[in-house]
């Protein structure tokens, strides 16, 4: 995965935009902060999300983290593998550990998100 | 590790119960086929002796107050006098039914009535309900009362303010009542940040929930000003009684301007924690809120005690019957035994013991809030963390010395927090030993940190794979 | 009486060691204006005086040692073998804290794991938590779970549900955007056809109490089918002692099963403390309220027990938790686990049969008396309602004269149900107890 191709949020999600489809996951930095992921509550397919709306929850043993929709759109697919193997988020945050896909309302919205360089600059300063 | 009781096998024909008089098929004839159980439950089949051995062996794998010191912040693990257990178990109080006519249970009603009055006197409130089963249940009750009160005045308020140092039950209870939770910051003194409160306090605030002293063990010295500010906006002030042990006989939430109070009888008033319960979470209110208390209250008319028959503005019932009576009677007896002077001794000795430990530990741990504390204080293992040992490791190493861990990583606003509450019932000798143990652990951190990192070494099991427990839940035998 | 361990002299030493001039120095942040003088509470008592005082207070209670209880209504006089209290009241259980420090709490944790297993076996459900406050609050939490899980907004309550349970459900749901629909009973029973009519696409759950408040056994399988037909969950609220002979909720497809655990080894104790049990089928596990214990391994690979799935709970999820519950009724649940271990499958069967038999004998004997008629012809377990056409004041007087407590007048809950009484008959009631009850009725 070419990390430069992705866009990022201050809440540590990444977005891979292909046409109107955006695949969403959390960054390597975020998975390290969360530590061992033990459970993932995925969004329902078909759910319409606003940008920055809480879409789903990632749980570690001692904490629960909201994952936010980076851009507005409708959930079209979720990563079913995570139901039995939540550890994929730790092992492969950008590939096998992706979370869900959105049909984006307005692809231009993604352009307002952070680039890799920008994200690297802020990732230690912003909490999850 | 002990095998589970389901893996043990001996003889049990249930003969501690009499044999049914009729034949089984005859007895069962009254039960329609379709409603009968098809497969027997796989309960263990073990003799009485094996049951006794099994649970006695299990009990020996526990820390408990009767054998260990628990400097467990915000949990008030004090000594539980044995006479209280005996009183609660007595036939006169344990073998009576909640639906007996009032004139048959005047003794029980007297206990409930007097307890309503005693707790009112201790907290400076006007009336109490003893119905809530635990602290969180009390919070739920208090917030329902808050809502009912505002509604009775024709207003709807949607927000509850909660300091960032509060227990997790506060926001969870507020959410259960449909309130939006707004967090208030703690300032450098460790107190409620007045500027932040000022900014967030508006007409939409139903109440401010406070723990005083806070979970940092500090008394909110501006409480009177805070109360005025909240009341000026038409809001109520809610007192989370988790730390009431610091105040008994010194001052009262009612006099500080609190409108609603919940107590934890299993903290302040010596009900044993029972490995996690039962507790009791009575709720006290000021006069205007009395009509909203849960049904039913106990009243005294002439020389007799009776339940209030009509309470149209009540929030209803939070559970069946009248509360955890067996817990309430323990605290009632405890208060009678202590009397006014003994009650004052609770806070006095709790504060002395906490300050003593704080003073003795100041050269070992960072103290983010120096100066005197109330009944507990928060130390930080930040300097130990720099050496690779965290608060959790120190907590686990304490277990090897027979001391229960303090509350760690709470409150959330202190890095590597260790919250220490010795309670009033511990002796100076025990406290000195605790200090010595921590000193020895500090030495290990400098010389042999691995020993601390791998602790505990002497408990029945070592640190557990909690990730596996959560990823592949094994929650019962199949 | 005080329970502090430091003498006044030692307290002074401590004060000096702290470096404070006086105790007042330590509490100088407490404003003078709110300091109080002496509490208006009597002087303390020695232990001897305390016991004497409480003995005197207790003496006026008419208790089961001297009176024969036929009272039930959710709280029953069962025999508790001596072993239960001997074990549960050991200091190692009763004075231990919540088992957050797993290494120091393996005894409690393993007992919870065994409790969860026993409750699952008893109810036929997949998973159990570690306990709730009581049966009614468990039922209310079950309704909350169903609303959250389905995203629907209606809950169907049968009118045959214990009225206090119904009231608790209403209290818990008072701030949830939902509608509670009550379905009336016919001859004390819920009609499955009525439930079918009441459920719709917005119904989250149908509640069934088995046996119901009148002691009657509902057609639970038909009620379950009616709920599931509309995609609603079935919540069963069951009496655990009945489950030796009565079909458990798992067998008729309940999605959530809860109940009052008091009959399992806990004294009636004027209504508490008891415990609620809470069980679910697999798909609802992550939405279950309360503590749950799991089995795992320690660093050496040994079997170990630990509280798990904690991210559901208030201390982590705060306002987004599945429930606000923290302290539960652990010790009462432990008594339940010990009691079930003492019963075993044979004992449970025997217990259920004894209750069934005793109640039916009492029913037959009572309804032979002139003016005593059944309230319903439906099947029942260990409790039933009868109409007793007698002057209630006289009847009450005669019952007490015969040292009988109860039966429970249903007029207390339903003003129009005059002369109707709920009779609870456990394994403890003997033939001679029954003769006293019947004699009191005959004399009235």
């Amino acid at each position: 995965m070419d990390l430069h191709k992705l866009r990022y949020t201050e809440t540590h999600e990444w977005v891979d935009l292909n046409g109107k489809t955006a695949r969403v996951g959390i960054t390597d930095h975020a998975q390290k902060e969360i530590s061992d992921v033990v459970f993932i509550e995925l969004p329902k397919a078909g759910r319409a999300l606003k940008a920055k709306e809480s879409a789903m929850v990632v749980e570690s043993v001692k904490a629960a983290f909201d994952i936010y929709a980076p851009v507005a759109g409708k959930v079209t697919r979720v990563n079913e593998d995570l139901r039995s193997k939540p550890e994929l988020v730790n092992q492969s945050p950008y590939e096998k550990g992706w979370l869900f896909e959105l049909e984006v309302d307005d692809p231009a919205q993604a352009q307002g998100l952070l680039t890799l360089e920008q994200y690297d600059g802020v990732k230690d300063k912003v909490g999850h | 590790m002990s095998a589970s009781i389901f893996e043990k096998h001996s003889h049990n024909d249930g003969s501690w119960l009499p044999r049914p008089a009729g034949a089984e098929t005859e007895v069962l004839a009254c039960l329609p086929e379709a409603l009968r159980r098809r497969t027997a439950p796989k309960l263990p089949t073990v003799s009485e002796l094996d049951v006794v051995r099994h649970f006695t062996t299990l009990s020996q794998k526990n820390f408990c107050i009767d054998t260990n010191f628990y400097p467990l912040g915000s949990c008030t693990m004090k000594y539980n006098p044995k006479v209280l257990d005996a009183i609660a178990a007595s036939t006169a109080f344990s073998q009576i039914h909640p639906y007996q006519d009032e004139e048959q249970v005047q003794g029980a009603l007297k206990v409930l009535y007097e307890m309503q009055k005693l707790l009112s006197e201790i907290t400076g409130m006007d009336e109490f309900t003893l119905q809530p089963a635990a602290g969180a249940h009390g919070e739920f009750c208090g917030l329902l009362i808050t809502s009912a009160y505002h509604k009775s005045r024709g207003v709807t308020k949607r927000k509850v303010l909660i300091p960032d140092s509060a227990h997790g039950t506060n926001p969870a209870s507020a959410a259960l009542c449909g309130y939006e939770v707004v967090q208030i910051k703690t300032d450098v003194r460790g107190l409620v940040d007045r500027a932040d409160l000022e900014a967030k306090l508006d007409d939409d605030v139903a109440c401010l929930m406070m723990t005083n002293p806070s979970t940092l063990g500090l008394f909110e010295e501006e409480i009177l000003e805070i109360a005025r500010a909240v009341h000026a906006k038409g809001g109520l002030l809610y007192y989370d009684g988790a730390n009431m042990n610091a105040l008994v006989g010194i001052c009262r939430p009612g006099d500080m301007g609190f409108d609603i109070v919940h107590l934890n009888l299993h903290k302040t008033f010596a009900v044993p924690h029972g490995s996690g319960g039962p507790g009791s979470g009575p709720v006290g209110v000021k006069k205007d809120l009395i009509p909203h208390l849960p049904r039913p209250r106990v009243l005294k008319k002439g020389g007799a005690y009776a339940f209030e028959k009509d309470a149209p503005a009540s929030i209803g019932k939070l559970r069946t019957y009248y509360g955890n009576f067996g817990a309430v009677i323990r605290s009632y007896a405890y208060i009678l035994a202590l009397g006014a002077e003994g009650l004052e001794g609770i806070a006095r000795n709790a504060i002395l013991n906490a300050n003593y430990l704080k003073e003795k530990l100041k050269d070992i741990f960072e103290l983010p809030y120096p100066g005197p504390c109330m009944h507990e204080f928060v130390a930080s293992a930040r300097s130990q963390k720099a050496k690779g040992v965290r608060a959790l490791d120190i907590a686990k190493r304490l277990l090897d010395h027979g001391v229960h861990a303090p509350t760690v990583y709470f409150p959330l606003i202190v890095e590597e927090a260790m919250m220490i509450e010795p309670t009033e019932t511990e002796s100076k000798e025990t406290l000195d030993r605790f200090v010595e143990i921590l000193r020895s652990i500090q030495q290990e951190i400098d010389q042999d940190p691995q020993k601390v990192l791998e602790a505990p070494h002497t408990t029945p099991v070592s640190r557990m794979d909690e990730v596996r427990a959560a990823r592949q839940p094994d929650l019962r035998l199949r | 009486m005080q329970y502090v361990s430091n003498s006044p002299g030692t307290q002074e030493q401590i004060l000096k060691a702290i470096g404070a001039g006086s105790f007042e120095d330590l509490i100088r942040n407490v404003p003078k204006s709110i300091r109080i003088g002496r509490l208006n509470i009597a002087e303390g008592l020695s232990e001897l005086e305390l016991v004497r005082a409480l003995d005197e207070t207790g003496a006026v209670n008419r208790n089961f040692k001297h009176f024969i209880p036929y009272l039930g209504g959710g709280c029953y006089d069962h025999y508790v073998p001596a072993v239960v209290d001997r074990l549960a009241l050991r200091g190692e259980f009763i004075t231990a804290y919540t088992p957050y420090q797993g290494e120091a709490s393996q005894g409690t944790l393993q007992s919870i794991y065994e409790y969860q297993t026993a409750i699952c076996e008893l109810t036929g459900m997949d998973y159990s938590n570690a306990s709730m406050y009581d049966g009614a609050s468990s039922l209310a939490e079950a309704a909350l779970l169903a609303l959250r899980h389905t995203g629907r907004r209606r809950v169907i309550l049968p009118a045959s549900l214990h009225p206090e349970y119904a009231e608790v459900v209403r209290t818990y749901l008072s701030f949830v955007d939902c509608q509670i629909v009550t379905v009336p009973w016919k001859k004390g029973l819920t009609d499955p056809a009525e439930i079918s009519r009441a459920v719709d696409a917005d119904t989250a759950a149908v509640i069934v109490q088995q046996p119901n408040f009148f002691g009657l056994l509902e057609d639970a399988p038909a009620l379950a089918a009616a709920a599931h037909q509309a995609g609603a969950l079935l919540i069963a609220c069951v009496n655990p002692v009945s489950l030796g002979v009565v079909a458990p909720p798992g067998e008729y497809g309940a999605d959530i099963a809860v109940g009052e655990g008091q009959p399992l080894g806990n004294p009636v104790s004027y209504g508490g403390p008891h415990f609620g049990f809470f069980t679910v089928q697999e798909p609802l596990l992550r939405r279950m309220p309360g503590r749950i214990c799991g089995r795992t391994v320690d660093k050496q690979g040994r079997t170990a027990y630990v509280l798990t799935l904690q991210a559901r709970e208030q201390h982590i999820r705060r306002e987004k938790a599945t429930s606000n519950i923290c302290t539960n009724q652990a010790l009462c649940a432990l008594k339940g686990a010990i009691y079930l271990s003492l019963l075993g499958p044979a004992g449970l069967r025997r217990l259920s049969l004894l209750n069934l038999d005793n109640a039916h004998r009492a029913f037959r004997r009572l309804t032979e008396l002139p003016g005593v008629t059944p309230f319903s012809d439906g099947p029942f377990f260990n409790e039933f309602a009868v109409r007793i056409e007698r002057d209630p004041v006289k009847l009450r007087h005669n019952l007490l004269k015969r040292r009988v407590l109860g039966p429970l007048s249903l007029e207390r809950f339903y003003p129009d149900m005059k002369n109707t009484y709920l009779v609870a008959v456990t394994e403890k009631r003997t033939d001679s107890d029954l003769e006293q009850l019947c004699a009191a009725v005959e004399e009235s």
Side-chain angles (χ1 to χ4, degrees):
Chain A
M1 174 68 65
D2 177 7
L3 298 188
H4 288 279
K5 194 176 148 253
L6 308 179
R7 288 293 173 271
Y8 302 85
T9 67
E10 289 195 352
T11 45
H12 308 283
E13 290 88 7
W14 56 256
V15 189
D16 182 10
L17 190 67
N18 283 304
K20 285 204 83 175
T21 302
R23 180 173 276 205
V24 180
I26 59 169
T27 64
D28 188 51
H29 173 81
Q31 71 81 13
K32 280 186 185 137
E33 286 288 306
I34 291 172
S35 78
D36 295 307
V37 173
V38 297
F39 182 69
I40 291 174
E41 200 181 299
L42 291 163
K44 279 205 173 90
R47 184 174 155 200
L49 290 166
K50 293 193 260 296
K52 295 185 181 169
E53 184 181 349
S54 170
M56 54 173 287
V57 178
V58 170
E59 290 180 8
S60 69
V61 169
K62 299 277 159 151
F65 303 87
D66 282 306
I67 306 298
Y68 303 94
V71 290
K74 200 165 85 183
V75 178
T76 49
R77 253 179 92 195
V78 297
N79 186 352
E80 294 289 341
D81 292 346
L82 298 179
R83 294 192 201 276
S84 57
K85 286 188 188 152
E87 59 270 28
L88 290 176
V89 173
N90 296 116
Q91 292 162 358
S92 173
Y94 298 105
E95 310 271 352
K96 289 182 184 160
W98 65 276
L99 300 173
F100 59 88
E101 287 181 356
L102 289 173
E103 187 185 301
V104 178
D105 294 350
D106 173 16
Q109 215 179 30
Q111 298 314 314
L113 297 173
L114 305 175
T115 63
L116 180 62
E117 290 73 20
Q118 286 168 328
Y119 175 68
D120 280 341
V122 299
K123 70 182 180 193
D124 291 316
K125 298 186 194 97
V126 287
H128 199 283
Chain B
M1 201 62 236
S2 320
S4 94
I5 196 157
F6 292 85
E7 294 155 296
K8 295 178 177 172
H9 304 282
S10 45
H11 177 67
N12 178 9
D13 59 3
S15 57
W16 56 268
L17 284 165
R19 206 186 297 276
E24 186 165 322
T25 46
E26 262 170 56
V27 176
L28 276 176
C30 58
L31 206 57
E33 201 80 51
L35 298 180
R36 288 188 205 169
R37 181 163 198 137
R38 290 196 292 268
T39 50
K42 294 196 281 293
L43 294 175
T45 297
V46 284
S47 65
E48 181 170 320
L49 169 62
D50 286 339
V51 172
V52 170
R53 277 207 187 127
H54 179 76
F55 285 100
T56 304
T57 308
L58 286 189
S59 78
Q60 291 167 337
K61 294 169 194 250
N62 274 356
F63 274 42
C64 69
I65 283 295
D66 286 1
T67 50
N68 307 85
F69 172 43
Y70 274 66
L72 193 61
S74 253
C75 299
T76 314
M77 292 295 285
K78 62 172 73 177
Y79 169 63
N80 313 120
K82 301 300 165 193
V83 66
L84 308 181
D85 297 343
I87 289 167
S90 68
T91 310
F93 293 113
S94 71
Q95 299 297 317
I96 49 174
H97 195 283
Y99 289 150
Q100 275 177 250
D101 293 334
E102 288 159 1
E103 64 267 22
Q104 300 173 1
V105 285
Q106 285 294 300
L109 290 174
K110 179 186 173 192
V111 169
L112 293 175
Y113 177 81
E114 290 195 349
M115 196 58 170
Q116 289 170 187
K117 297 293 161 222
L118 287 167
L119 296 180
S120 297
E121 168 65 15
I122 291 169
T123 56
M125 304 307 282
D126 294 318
E127 185 58 291
F128 256 85
T129 173
L130 307 170
Q131 199 175 109
H137 211 205
E139 291 173 21
F140 181 41
C141 173
L143 288 161
L144 288 171
I145 291 170
T146 301
S147 179
Y149 166 76
H150 290 306
K151 204 171 158 192
S152 74
R153 298 164 58 96
V155 289
T156 311
K157 293 174 185 270
R158 289 169 307 177
K159 290 191 276 196
V160 168
L161 305 185
I162 300 174
D164 54 11
S165 59
H167 296 105
T169 49
N170 289 182
S173 302
L176 202 50
C177 297
Y179 283 116
E180 181 195 332
V181 174
V182 179
Q183 213 170 65
I184 305 295
K185 285 189 203 127
T186 299
D187 66 17
V188 286
R189 301 169 301 169
L191 305 176
V192 163
D193 187 322
R194 290 286 302 283
D196 195 40
L197 176 63
E198 219 57 50
K200 287 166 181 166
L201 188 59
D202 58 26
D203 294 335
D204 208 16
V205 170
C207 77
L208 166 62
M209 295 181 87
M210 282 180 73
T211 309
N212 190 18
S214 71
T215 58
L216 296 166
L218 302 173
F219 190 87
E220 294 287 353
E221 53 192 66
E222 290 160 353
I223 186 61
L224 296 172
E225 291 80 3
I226 292 172
R228 267 194 294 276
V230 172
H231 290 152
K233 293 286 182 189
L236 297 177
L237 200 58
Y238 181 98
Y239 183 82
D240 178 329
N243 291 343
M244 186 65 200
N245 218 47
L247 304 186
V248 179
I250 290 178
C251 58
R252 313 187 300 176
D255 300 333
M256 298 171 203
F258 283 97
D259 304 287
I260 305 174
V261 165
H262 92 252
L263 296 174
N264 300 69
L265 297 187
H266 46 295
K267 295 184 180 179
T268 317
F269 296 101
V271 172
H273 274 69
S275 306
S280 175
V283 169
V285 295
K286 288 281 176 64
K287 203 159 142 267
D288 288 353
L289 303 175
I290 293 176
H292 305 302
L293 283 171
R295 281 188 280 264
R297 274 191 311 138
V298 181
L299 308 174
K300 190 175 180 181
K301 281 187 207 143
Y305 303 95
F307 288 113
E308 185 179 35
K309 295 290 175 291
D310 193 31
S314 164
I315 56 165
K317 284 185 83 67
L318 294 153
R319 52 161 295 161
T320 42
Y321 319 120
Y322 324 115
N324 280 344
F325 180 74
V328 171
I329 193 170
R330 279 179 166 90
S331 294
Y332 171 73
Y334 181 68
I335 291 169
L336 291 194
L338 260 53
E341 204 181 321
L343 286 166
E344 203 191 310
I346 293 181
R348 183 187 160 84
N349 284 284
I351 292 169
L352 280 173
N353 281 357
N355 279 284
Y356 180 68
L357 277 184
K358 190 174 186 184
E359 174 67 22
K360 291 278 176 182
L361 294 176
K362 73 177 180 199
D363 57 333
I364 305 180
F365 296 107
E366 281 185 34
L367 296 173
Y369 304 102
C373 62
M374 296 298 278
H375 69 306
E376 70 184 2
F377 62 96
V378 176
S380 167
R382 195 160 43 188
S383 63
Q384 284 78 2
K385 190 187 176 190
K387 295 174 184 167
V389 174
R390 303 193 54 186
L392 182 74
D393 305 311
I394 297 167
K396 297 294 182 196
R397 186 64 179 134
L398 276 169
L399 301 180
D400 285 329
H401 294 273
V403 173
H404 192 278
T407 302
V408 290
Y409 304 109
F410 188 85
L412 308 169
I413 51 176
V414 173
E415 191 187 347
E416 296 296 314
M418 299 174 66
M419 193 191 209
I420 296 171
E421 178 184 10
T423 84
E424 75 278 14
T425 58
E426 298 296 335
S427 70
K428 178 171 171 291
E429 217 169 87
T430 301
L431 305 182
D432 286 336
R433 200 183 134 248
F434 177 56
V435 173
E436 280 319 304
I437 293 168
L438 281 169
R439 211 177 286 287
S440 73
I441 294 175
Q442 179 61 35
Q443 261 173 20
E444 283 176 343
I445 292 172
D446 292 332
Q447 292 158 13
D448 183 11
Q450 214 52 30
K451 188 111 196 198
V452 183
L453 292 172
E454 284 169 13
H457 304 276
T458 59
T459 46
V461 297
S462 58
R463 286 192 212 185
M464 290 165 284
D465 190 344
E466 297 191 49
V467 172
R468 169 173 150 158
R471 276 188 187 157
Q472 303 147 32
D474 170 2
L475 312 176
R476 59 171 291 197
L477 285 162
R478 294 266 184 190
Chain C
M1 179 91 199
Q2 287 199 38
Y3 298 97
V4 296
S5 301
N6 288 329
S7 69
T10 309
Q11 293 171 28
E12 279 305 310
Q13 267 182 37
I14 284 179
L15 204 52
K16 264 196 211 118
I18 296 167
S22 68
F23 179 69
E24 290 301 311
D25 278 357
L26 296 178
I27 54 170
R28 58 178 179 251
N29 291 345
V30 179
K32 282 271 181 306
S33 64
I34 55 167
R35 293 290 306 281
I36 52 168
R38 198 187 145 91
L39 285 168
N40 185 19
I41 287 176
E43 260 178 58
L45 303 173
S46 65
E47 182 170 323
L48 171 62
E49 292 163 312
L50 177 69
V51 170
R52 193 181 288 148
L54 269 295
D55 274 351
E56 247 167 60
T57 303
V60 301
N61 289 338
R62 295 192 159 147
N63 66 61
F64 301 175
K65 195 165 178 188
H66 305 294
F67 290 80
I68 308 160
Y70 277 96
L71 286 164
C75 201
Y76 303 91
D77 175 38
H78 290 289
Y79 178 69
V80 180
V83 167
V84 174
D85 277 1
R86 281 286 156 158
L87 291 174
L89 299 183
R90 286 178 65 88
E92 294 91 333
F93 285 127
I94 193 172
T95 74
Y97 186 62
T98 307
Y100 290 128
Q101 290 293 330
E103 300 88 341
S105 320
Q106 283 299 297
T108 293
L109 287 163
Q110 186 175 335
S111 75
I112 295 173
Y113 182 82
E114 292 174 0
Y115 162 86
Q116 290 170 183
T117 304
I119 293 292
C120 289
E121 285 295 335
L122 193 62
T123 54
M125 301 292 287
D126 287 338
Y127 294 113
S128 165
N129 74 5
S131 77
M132 306 293 284
Y133 303 136
D134 71 346
S137 60
S138 303
L139 181 63
E141 293 260 17
L144 283 172
L145 190 167
L147 288 162
R148 267 188 225 120
H149 179 73
T150 59
R152 299 178 175 192
R153 285 177 311 190
R154 265 159 68 97
V155 174
I156 312 280
L157 274 189
S160 60
L161 175 68
H162 191 310
E164 288 201 21
Y165 282 52
E167 197 179 348
V168 174
V169 170
R170 283 177 202 287
T171 306
Y172 267 74
L173 265 49
S174 53
F175 290 94
V176 180
D177 176 24
C178 72
Q179 187 194 1
I180 300 173
V181 181
T182 305
V183 173
W185 43 263
K186 278 182 193 156
K187 287 185 174 178
L189 285 164
T190 309
D191 180 358
E194 286 279 339
I195 296 289
S196 287
R197 269 193 290 279
V199 291
D200 62 13
D202 200 28
T203 303
V206 172
I207 289 171
V208 55
Q209 189 176 25
Q210 184 78 326
N212 69 24
F213 181 59
F214 305 112
L216 296 165
L217 291 163
E218 302 270 12
D219 188 354
L223 297 172
H228 290 155
Q229 201 183 13
L233 304 183
L234 183 81
I235 301 173
C237 179
V238 299
N239 178 341
V241 162
S242 73
L243 300 180
V245 289
V246 174
E251 281 187 9
Y252 48 81
D255 301 280
I256 308 172
V258 299
E260 172 57 60
Q262 179 271 328
L264 303 175
N266 281 268
V268 166
S269 193
Y270 205 49
H274 304 151
F275 71 96
F277 54 88
F278 197 109
T279 62
V280 294
Q281 301 294 20
E282 164 87 39
L284 303 176
L285 171 61
R286 301 270 173 175
R287 294 190 182 271
M288 192 149 63
R291 296 178 188 140
I292 302 174
C293 172
R295 188 166 62 164
T296 183
V297 291
D298 76 352
K299 270 164 70 181
Q300 277 85 34
R302 296 174 291 195
T303 299
Y305 299 88
V306 68
L307 290 179
T308 190
L309 309 188
Q310 293 194 63
R312 300 165 297 113
E313 292 185 70
Q314 49 76 28
H315 60 286
I316 290 178
R317 194 74 65 101
R318 296 177 82 87
E319 67 266 29
K320 289 180 183 163
T322 54
S323 164
N324 71 335
I325 193 168
C326 179
T327 290
N328 57 19
Q329 304 282 123
L331 198 76
C332 302
L334 173 68
K335 289 183 185 181
I338 297 169
Y339 181 80
L340 286 169
S341 304
L342 285 166
L343 277 178
L348 176 68
R349 182 91 179 162
R350 186 178 280 208
L351 176 68
S352 292
L353 288 170
L354 278 169
N355 277 265
L356 192 66
D357 192 25
N358 276 356
H360 284 79
R361 282 139 66 91
F363 175 83
R364 286 192 296 268
R365 179 79 177 80
L366 271 173
T367 51
E368 279 166 8
L369 302 176
V372 181
T373 50
F375 162 72
S376 165
D377 55 5
F380 61 91
F381 175 61
N382 69 352
E383 197 168 21
F384 57 85
V386 283
R387 285 184 61 83
I388 304 178
E389 300 296 345
R390 297 283 195 282
D391 173 23
V393 179
K394 226 166 143 186
L395 178 62
R396 235 168 70 156
H397 172 81
N398 287 326
L399 285 164
L400 213 53
K401 203 178 76 192
R402 290 273 174 185
R403 305 190 86 76
V404 172
L405 300 177
L408 177 60
S409 167
L410 289 174
E411 203 183 336
R412 180 188 177 120
F413 303 96
Y414 310 98
D416 57 333
M417 286 182 84
K418 296 209 189 314
N419 297 329
T420 310
Y421 298 86
L422 193 58
V423 188
V425 193
T426 68
E427 75 281 1
K428 280 179 81 175
R429 297 290 75 80
T430 62
D431 288 346
S432 82
D433 290 348
L434 183 56
E435 286 320 307
Q436 295 302 316
L437 173 61
C438 291
V441 173
E442 281 179 310
E443 287 157 9
S444 303

